[in-house]
Amino acid sequence: MKKNVVVFLISTILLTLISTLVSKLSMDSIWNFGFSYSIANDSIPYKDFNMVILPFFQLIMAFFLKIFGIKLVVYHIINAFQRSYRGFSVFSFMAIL
């Protein structure tokens, strides 16, 4: 069972990274990166710029962008790890059931 979890985790991370870095950039991705970029540069959501959505995802991404550098590639790599974590969480939850 433990070997299956490790294989699933590694394959999920690799497939997510490859699909994220190879795919075309969408305007939604650029839009979210712009908000994360603004927050990482000490702008305040709803005061310094308007947002239609809640800023939780952008706050998390801004935190990691501050740590690893404000680059679009860093944003996509962090996003890929978040997607892998969600996939692994679903896998772990399904294994419990």
Side-chain angles (χ1 to χ4, degrees), residues 46-60:
Y46 305 113
K47 181 179 179 187
D48 296 328
F49 58 91
N50 292 327
M51 291 180 71
V52 180
I53 56 176
L54 296 175
F56 184 69
F57 177 73
Q58 285 78 17
L59 289 170
I60 293 171

Side-chain angles (χ1 to χ4, degrees), residues 68-88:
F68 297 114
I70 303 176
K71 305 268 191 252
L72 187 59
V73 172
V74 172
Y75 176 83
H76 281 292
I77 291 171
I78 294 168
N79 199 8
F81 278 112
Q82 284 183 346
R83 288 181 190 166
S84 299
Y85 176 74
R86 284 187 299 232
F88 182 69

Side-chain angles (χ1 to χ4, degrees), residues 10-64:
I10 291 172
S11 63
T12 302
I13 290 172
L14 287 175
L15 289 173
T16 306
L17 276 172
I18 291 169
S19 67
T20 301
L21 296 175
V22 172
S23 66
K24 294 189 307 185
L25 292 175
S26 67
M27 289 307 293
D28 188 44
S29 176
I30 300 296
W31 191 54
N32 285 321
F33 173 73
F35 288 139
S36 301
Y37 177 84
S38 297
I39 294 171
N41 286 327
D42 300 327
S43 295
I44 300 171
Y46 305 113
K47 181 179 179 187
D48 296 328
F49 58 91
N50 292 327
M51 291 180 71
V52 180
I53 56 176
L54 296 175
F56 184 69
F57 177 73
Q58 285 78 17
L59 289 170
I60 293 171
M61 294 304 284
F63 173 74
F64 286 115

